Every structure is written in C-alpha cells, then in structure tokens.
Amino acid sequence: MTKEYLIERNGKKYEVVIGLEVHAQVLSESKLFSTSPTKFGSEPNTQVSLVDAAFPGMLPVINEFCVKQAIKTGIGLNAKINKRSVFDRKNYFYADLPQGYQISQFKDPIVGEGKVILDMPDGQKEIGIERLHLEQDAGKSIHDLDPQNTFVDLNRSGVALMEIVSKPDLRSPDEVSAYIKKLRSIMRYLGTCDGNMQEGSLRADVNVSVRAKGSKEFGTRCEIKNVNSIKFMQMAIEYEANRQVDLIEEGKSIDQETRLFDTKKSETRSMRSKEDAHDYRYFPDPDLLPLKIEKNLIDKLKKELPELPDEKKERFIKEHKLSSYEANILVSEKEISDYYEEVIKKSDKKLATNWITVELFAVLNKKNLSISESPISAKNLSSLIKMISSGKISGKIAKQVFEK
Ligand code: ADP
Ligand code: MG
C-alpha cells in the first residue's frame, strides 16, 4: 500500500484512477521504415526521404534495429514478447501525415503484458503494463510563423515510437511522476530511448477518472492528449480529477472525451467528445508482412541486457550495505550509479554515499548540472574522501576543498 491520494467534497471521499499511454521515441539513427536520419533540431525538411514524404510507389522497409530496441524495452518491462505481430494502417487525414495513415500496431502488438515496480516513500507498488507497440511519428505543422500560412516540417515523419500503455493502476500524481521516472530510467539503462522530454522524446496521453472511495467500478475516463512534462501531467491530473468530482457532486455525469491541457491557464479543455471520435479504419498494412521474431533472438537480447535499476538496487543494498532509500537515489540514473561505483573503488562506501547524495547533489542542483557535467570527477572525489578517512584532513577542511 502507498499513501492514499483522495479528493474530499461535502464530506465524501473520491479516489483518482489514472492510466498512461506513453510515447517514447526509439533511440535509433534512422527511421522505422526508411534510412533517413533522426537528429533533433535539424533544419526543417532536411531529413525526409521519398518514403517519409509518401511519394507514390514508395514502400516501407522495416528497420531491424528499431525492432530490437522494442524487444529490449519489452524485456526491461518484464513483459511477454509476441513472436508474431502485425503492422496496421491507422487512417486519418492531416497535412503533416502525407501517407494519409500512420503505420502502427493494433490487435497484435510486438509486446504484451508486463509490469513495473515503483519505489514510493512508503513502500513498493506494482503497475501493470498492458502492451507496447511500434508506430511511426507524424510530421509537425507550424502555425505560428506566419499569419496566413501553416508550414509543415516532415523531419519527424516516420520516426520510430514505442507506445507503452499502462493498466489503470496509478492512483495519484506522485505515482505518475514515479512511473514516468522509472520508465525513463529503464529505457536509458537499456539505451532504447533518451527520455528527453524537452525534445519530445517522451510524452504521454493521460487517462483520468474518479470514483467514490471504496467503489469497485471505474468511473468514465477523460483522455488528456500529448502532455510533455511530468509537472504538467501532475497539474493536469489534479485539475481534471477535481473537475470530475465537481460534476458528480452537481449530480451531472462525465462525458468520455479527449481533452487538452492548457499550460498557460493550468486547466484541461475539451477537444472532442466520444461521438466525434475518429474511426481510424485500422487494417493490416498490405506493404508489410507480419513481423516474426525467433526465440533465439529474444534469448540473445536477454543475455546482452545490461544490469537494470531494480537488479542494481538489490546488488547495492547487499554489496555496499546501503539503505533502500540510498540505493534508490544512486541507481535512479545509470550515470549516477557509475559515478558512485567509481568513487568507492578506492574510498569508504559510507562516506562516499553521503558526499555524493548530500554535498555533490546540492552543488549539481544549484548549478542545474547533470552528474556527467559534474565539475568534480569521481576520481577526485574519491581522493578527497580517502584523505578524510586516513585522517589527513578533517571533514570541515574537505568541505572547503570541495567548494574550491
Ligand atoms: P484508447 O485507444 O481508447 O485510448 P487504450 O486501450 O489505448 O485506449 O488506452 C486506454 C488507457 O486508458 C490505458 O492506459 C488504460 O489504463 C486507461 N484507462 C482505461 N480505463 C480507465 C479508467 N476508467 N480510468 C482511467 N484510466 C483508464
Ligand atoms: Mg488513447
């Protein structure tokens, strides 16, 4: 059990139920069905092949590397890898979608059910994964460069995405934050997604419903589209859950609809109701054969997998006698755990843990730096700690040296 997040109104308590559809850009130098590069921030329309621009007669060719990335991610999510999956066409019309359909996976995704463990301050919580499927990204329409015209940039068109769909197991904004961070950490360890939210590599559709505390049935959900920061996800959930509780308390019902989060006003707004929902007319893409994955390949990728955060945490607790709390901090990012392991090669573990999680993190936070940008190398911090434990300098003097 983790701490309950409840909304109270007129003496009644409501529980919030959340499920996420996370879109994670596959870390790959080329696109899902073409050889175009995927570099972020390039000049508009410089990374577009005839396939990405959907010229007549062009055919998609699956990128084997992206498939392997999806399988690895599936393994990292403790999920079932489906030996046979199918690419479908999701049909809709939009200027930044030159094909007139997105190639995605519908009924038969590459990855099935899995789970992710969250470490919350008051204990662990398991979040179910429904599926992970591969799909292409669309281009980008730019509406604010000119008062009369909309421009289209097709650089993103065809970039590989993994859509990771959770079960409706999340119960609070804090759990959502922990879930996104855990997914990001797993994918960064694996090298399958850089998790860079500013660059749009990780974004989510957030499904929210509320129900009276103790009720077994789910309420009607609203889906908030395309939220690209953890803070905004949390704000959107809080606003949306309170809006739904207000409606119920007024005796009204919730419409199942798609909403967007207005970051300027910090509120969610209706985009379309269920009645206006698209009929995408999914059907198997006749240009692509079903994807068949050999057991050998899955076994091989499993063997090559790096140590993931959960295993590393267990090892740190056993080998380095860390508390669960300390281990969580030190494994949260691979670079942090590497730094820590470098420091303790030649210095006291207990002191190293304190110096990294207290002194070093304070400086990095203040200067807004990541650990790989640390002005103090792991080797130097290690030497400094050695001098303290050998009695050469006091902790107080070490702090002065550290400051310098
Ligand atoms: P759709 O394509 O209609 O969005 P998906 O199955 O792809 O459907 O995604 C549904 C998402 O909504 C999942 O993440 C699921 O956990 C979540 N969800 C389903 N029912 C509820 C509910 N009552 N409240 C909150 N989230 C829900
Ligand atoms: Mg959806």
Side-chain angles (χ1 to χ4, degrees):
M1 268 306 276
T2 60
K3 205 170 125 236
E4 276 191 306
Y5 173 83
L6 297 169
I7 294 178
E8 293 199 37
R9 212 60 108 252
N10 308 322
K12 271 182 261 163
K13 290 185 174 138
Y14 289 89
E15 183 183 41
V16 183
V17 173
I18 308 148
L20 295 190
E21 296 158 78
V22 168
H23 296 266
Q25 182 175 330
V26 176
L27 199 56
S28 161
E29 285 181 7
S30 47
K31 297 184 180 179
L32 185 53
F33 298 111
S34 83
T35 53
S36 305
T38 58
K39 210 164 152 286
F40 177 80
S42 307
E43 279 290 298
N45 297 312
T46 54
Q47 306 189 152
V48 189
S49 71
L50 298 176
V51 178
D52 313 320
F55 272 48
M58 293 297 113
L59 289 173
V61 176
I62 185 94
N63 179 340
E64 184 183 337
F65 181 75
C66 292
V67 172
K68 287 181 180 162
Q69 292 286 66
I71 298 173
K72 281 194 203 171
T73 308
I75 300 170
L77 300 176
N78 309 294
K80 179 171 177 280
I81 310 300
N82 291 323
K83 302 246 168 48
R84 180 182 183 277
S85 66
V86 174
F87 285 101
D88 296 285
R89 290 186 180 180
K90 179 178 180 177
N91 299 279
Y92 66 97
F93 176 82
Y94 207 73
D96 58 25
L97 186 78
Q99 283 172 157
Y101 57 84
Q102 175 193 31
I103 306 178
S104 181
Q105 298 189 301
F106 189 50
K107 276 214 299 289
D108 301 295
I110 182 165
V111 176
E113 290 189 337
K115 62 169 192 248
V116 167
I117 308 288
L118 305 185
D119 285 292
M120 302 305 293
D122 39 8
Q124 288 196 326
K125 168 148 183 185
E126 184 178 310
I127 305 299
I129 300 290
E130 182 74 45
R131 59 189 272 154
L132 174 157
H133 67 252
L134 276 168
E135 62 183 28
Q136 333 168 273
D137 206 349
K140 195 171 150 203
S141 300
I142 300 156
H143 303 289
D144 54 4
L145 269 184
D146 185 281
Q148 254 85 48
N149 297 294
T150 288
F151 296 96
V152 175
D153 176 7
L154 293 181
N155 280 354
R156 291 194 77 100
S157 171
V159 163
L161 302 177
M162 298 179 279
E163 177 166 334
I164 303 168
V165 182
S166 85
K167 307 227 170 186
D169 289 347
L170 296 154
R171 292 289 177 274
S172 71
D174 282 347
E175 286 185 8
V176 167
S177 167
Y179 173 72
I180 295 282
K181 285 180 183 158
K182 189 63 182 272
L183 274 189
R184 188 171 59 186
S185 165
I186 292 170
M187 293 190 291
R188 281 183 174 160
Y189 267 75
L190 290 167
T192 58
C193 170
D194 67 20
N196 195 332
M197 298 185 90
Q198 287 90 11
E199 296 180 0
S201 303
L202 195 67
R203 39 200 214 265
D205 300 339
V206 184
N207 295 272
V208 181
S209 67
V210 298
R211 63 180 173 188
K213 178 177 154 59
S215 159
K216 286 275 169 283
E217 264 159 54
F218 286 142
T220 305
R221 72 179 152 117
C222 288
E223 175 175 352
I224 310 157
K225 276 279 174 207
N226 216 12
V227 192
N228 63 2
S229 93
I230 292 176
K231 191 81 223 144
F232 289 156
M233 286 178 204
Q234 294 186 303
M235 288 161 71
I237 291 163
E238 250 189 87
Y239 178 90
E240 181 57 23
N242 277 284
R243 185 187 73 86
Q244 292 181 13
V245 168
D246 286 340
L247 282 174
I248 294 171
E249 283 295 314
E250 287 165 24
K252 296 182 183 146
S253 60
I254 314 289
D255 287 334
Q256 185 175 342
E257 57 182 3
T258 305
R259 301 176 70 85
L260 57 80
F261 181 62
D262 183 329
T263 54
K264 294 209 177 72
K265 295 192 181 141
S266 299
E267 62 185 37
T268 64
R269 254 204 324 271
S270 182
M271 270 170 80
R272 56 173 184 259
S273 71
K274 201 183 175 190
E275 288 73 49
D276 313 323
H278 296 294
D279 178 354
Y280 293 115
R281 295 172 191 276
Y282 279 99
F283 64 87
D285 191 319
D287 291 339
L288 291 157
L289 290 167
L291 185 64
K292 292 199 173 139
I293 298 166
E294 307 255 327
K295 186 173 174 296
N296 281 347
L297 176 65
I298 303 173
D299 292 342
K300 181 169 166 280
L301 292 173
K302 248 184 208 158
K303 257 196 235 127
E304 290 169 9
L305 230 54
E307 185 182 38
L308 291 175
D310 287 345
E311 306 162 63
K312 192 171 288 227
K313 181 186 166 190
E314 283 312 305
R315 181 166 68 80
F316 275 17
I317 290 174
K318 261 201 222 119
E319 257 176 39
H320 307 317
K321 308 276 175 296
L322 297 179
S323 70
S324 166
Y325 173 78
E326 291 166 333
N328 269 336
I329 299 178
L330 292 173
V331 306
S332 63
E333 285 173 40
K334 186 169 177 300
E335 289 74 19
I336 296 176
S337 67
D338 289 345
Y339 189 98
Y340 170 74
E341 294 205 288
E342 181 67 33
V343 173
I344 59 167
K345 265 188 198 157
K346 291 193 179 141
S347 70
D348 179 77
K349 291 174 182 175
K350 194 87 216 143
L351 277 174
T353 306
N354 282 332
W355 273 85
I356 293 172
T357 59
V358 182
E359 307 296 334
L360 182 64
F361 280 7
V363 173
L364 295 179
N365 278 339
K366 208 168 91 196
K367 296 187 185 275
N368 202 12
L369 296 173
S370 73
I371 192 122
S372 36
E373 300 162 320
S374 168
I376 304 149
S377 70
K379 273 212 173 69
N380 284 348
L381 184 60
S382 184
S383 312
L384 188 68
I385 293 169
K386 233 167 41 193
M387 286 181 172
I388 306 171
S389 24
S390 68
K392 222 177 224 166
I393 58 173
S394 68
K396 203 169 151 221
I397 286 177
K399 273 183 196 166
Q400 289 170 12
V401 176
F402 182 85
E403 287 284 314
K404 281 245 164 69

mmCIF file of all heavy atoms in Angstrom, residues 360-370 373 375 403:
data_model
loop_
_atom_site.group_PDB
_atom_site.id
_atom_site.type_symbol
_atom_site.label_atom_id
_atom_site.label_comp_id
_atom_site.label_asym_id
_atom_site.label_seq_id
_atom_site.Cartn_x
_atom_site.Cartn_y
_atom_site.Cartn_z
ATOM 1 N N LEU A 360 27.518 16.677 -3.136
ATOM 2 C CA LEU A 360 27.622 16.793 -4.593
ATOM 3 C C LEU A 360 26.270 17.152 -5.215
ATOM 4 O O LEU A 360 26.184 18.053 -6.051
ATOM 5 C CB LEU A 360 28.159 15.478 -5.188
ATOM 6 C CG LEU A 360 28.347 15.508 -6.711
ATOM 7 C CD1 LEU A 360 29.419 16.523 -7.116
ATOM 8 C CD2 LEU A 360 28.718 14.128 -7.259
ATOM 9 N N PHE A 361 25.200 16.452 -4.774
ATOM 10 C CA PHE A 361 23.888 16.729 -5.363
ATOM 11 C C PHE A 361 23.438 18.161 -5.101
ATOM 12 O O PHE A 361 22.788 18.784 -5.938
ATOM 13 C CB PHE A 361 22.834 15.741 -4.834
ATOM 14 C CG PHE A 361 22.879 14.406 -5.537
ATOM 15 C CD1 PHE A 361 23.892 14.110 -6.436
ATOM 16 C CD2 PHE A 361 21.904 13.454 -5.303
ATOM 17 C CE1 PHE A 361 23.939 12.885 -7.087
ATOM 18 C CE2 PHE A 361 21.939 12.225 -5.955
ATOM 19 C CZ PHE A 361 22.961 11.945 -6.838
ATOM 20 N N ALA A 362 23.800 18.699 -3.923
ATOM 21 C CA ALA A 362 23.423 20.085 -3.611
ATOM 22 C C ALA A 362 24.051 21.025 -4.639
ATOM 23 O O ALA A 362 23.392 21.923 -5.169
ATOM 24 C CB ALA A 362 23.868 20.448 -2.198
ATOM 25 N N VAL A 363 25.333 20.798 -4.930
ATOM 26 C CA VAL A 363 26.035 21.658 -5.896
ATOM 27 C C VAL A 363 25.437 21.491 -7.302
ATOM 28 O O VAL A 363 25.164 22.465 -8.002
ATOM 29 C CB VAL A 363 27.545 21.324 -5.930
ATOM 30 C CG1 VAL A 363 28.243 22.088 -7.043
ATOM 31 C CG2 VAL A 363 28.181 21.649 -4.591
ATOM 32 N N LEU A 364 25.222 20.230 -7.699
ATOM 33 C CA LEU A 364 24.697 19.983 -9.042
ATOM 34 C C LEU A 364 23.315 20.610 -9.210
ATOM 35 O O LEU A 364 23.017 21.224 -10.231
ATOM 36 C CB LEU A 364 24.635 18.481 -9.333
ATOM 37 C CG LEU A 364 25.983 17.742 -9.387
ATOM 38 C CD1 LEU A 364 25.763 16.253 -9.669
ATOM 39 C CD2 LEU A 364 26.910 18.346 -10.441
ATOM 40 N N ASN A 365 22.478 20.458 -8.158
ATOM 41 C CA ASN A 365 21.143 21.065 -8.218
ATOM 42 C C ASN A 365 21.223 22.567 -8.355
ATOM 43 O O ASN A 365 20.524 23.173 -9.157
ATOM 44 C CB ASN A 365 20.335 20.736 -6.956
ATOM 45 C CG ASN A 365 19.706 19.353 -7.063
ATOM 46 O OD1 ASN A 365 19.540 18.832 -8.167
ATOM 47 N ND2 ASN A 365 19.377 18.768 -5.928
ATOM 48 N N LYS A 366 22.108 23.147 -7.539
ATOM 49 C CA LYS A 366 22.220 24.603 -7.546
ATOM 50 C C LYS A 366 22.667 25.106 -8.912
ATOM 51 O O LYS A 366 22.170 26.106 -9.418
ATOM 52 C CB LYS A 366 23.202 25.056 -6.455
ATOM 53 C CG LYS A 366 22.897 26.455 -5.928
ATOM 54 C CD LYS A 366 23.667 26.789 -4.674
ATOM 55 C CE LYS A 366 24.987 27.446 -4.998
ATOM 56 N NZ LYS A 366 25.911 27.452 -3.854
ATOM 57 N N LYS A 367 23.617 24.392 -9.506
ATOM 58 C CA LYS A 367 24.147 24.821 -10.807
ATOM 59 C C LYS A 367 23.355 24.232 -11.967
ATOM 60 O O LYS A 367 23.701 24.460 -13.129
ATOM 61 C CB LYS A 367 25.617 24.410 -10.938
ATOM 62 C CG LYS A 367 26.532 25.099 -9.932
ATOM 63 C CD LYS A 367 27.981 24.758 -10.255
ATOM 64 C CE LYS A 367 28.948 25.308 -9.238
ATOM 65 N NZ LYS A 367 29.347 26.693 -9.486
ATOM 66 N N ASN A 368 22.316 23.439 -11.629
ATOM 67 C CA ASN A 368 21.490 22.812 -12.649
ATOM 68 C C ASN A 368 22.313 21.972 -13.639
ATOM 69 O O ASN A 368 22.204 22.106 -14.844
ATOM 70 C CB ASN A 368 20.681 23.891 -13.383
ATOM 71 C CG ASN A 368 19.452 23.305 -14.048
ATOM 72 O OD1 ASN A 368 19.097 22.150 -13.780
ATOM 73 N ND2 ASN A 368 18.832 24.066 -14.924
ATOM 74 N N LEU A 369 23.171 21.134 -13.067
ATOM 75 C CA LEU A 369 24.028 20.274 -13.890
ATOM 76 C C LEU A 369 23.651 18.811 -13.674
ATOM 77 O O LEU A 369 23.157 18.443 -12.612
ATOM 78 C CB LEU A 369 25.497 20.448 -13.473
ATOM 79 C CG LEU A 369 26.140 21.817 -13.685
ATOM 80 C CD1 LEU A 369 27.528 21.846 -13.059
ATOM 81 C CD2 LEU A 369 26.219 22.147 -15.171
ATOM 82 N N SER A 370 23.883 18.000 -14.691
ATOM 83 C CA SER A 370 23.712 16.562 -14.508
ATOM 84 C C SER A 370 25.028 16.000 -13.989
ATOM 85 O O SER A 370 26.056 16.679 -14.015
ATOM 86 C CB SER A 370 23.343 15.899 -15.825
ATOM 87 O OG SER A 370 24.476 15.863 -16.657
ATOM 88 N N GLU A 373 28.072 16.191 -16.014
ATOM 89 C CA GLU A 373 28.680 17.526 -16.151
ATOM 90 C C GLU A 373 29.333 17.977 -14.840
ATOM 91 O O GLU A 373 29.697 19.138 -14.691
ATOM 92 C CB GLU A 373 27.607 18.555 -16.536
ATOM 93 C CG GLU A 373 26.896 18.269 -17.839
ATOM 94 C CD GLU A 373 25.580 19.041 -17.963
ATOM 95 O OE1 GLU A 373 24.842 19.160 -16.964
ATOM 96 O OE2 GLU A 373 25.298 19.524 -19.062
ATOM 97 N N PRO A 375 31.561 19.205 -12.022
ATOM 98 C CA PRO A 375 32.891 19.832 -12.050
ATOM 99 C C PRO A 375 33.912 19.005 -11.248
ATOM 100 O O PRO A 375 35.115 19.210 -11.384
ATOM 101 C CB PRO A 375 32.673 21.207 -11.398
ATOM 102 C CG PRO A 375 31.299 21.201 -10.846
ATOM 103 C CD PRO A 375 30.574 19.993 -11.297
ATOM 104 N N GLU A 403 34.426 22.887 -2.000
ATOM 105 C CA GLU A 403 33.871 24.153 -2.502
ATOM 106 C C GLU A 403 34.746 24.746 -3.607
ATOM 107 O O GLU A 403 34.268 25.178 -4.643
ATOM 108 C CB GLU A 403 33.775 25.179 -1.363
ATOM 109 C CG GLU A 403 32.659 24.909 -0.366
ATOM 110 C CD GLU A 403 31.301 25.279 -0.935
ATOM 111 O OE1 GLU A 403 31.190 26.363 -1.517
ATOM 112 O OE2 GLU A 403 30.368 24.457 -0.789
#
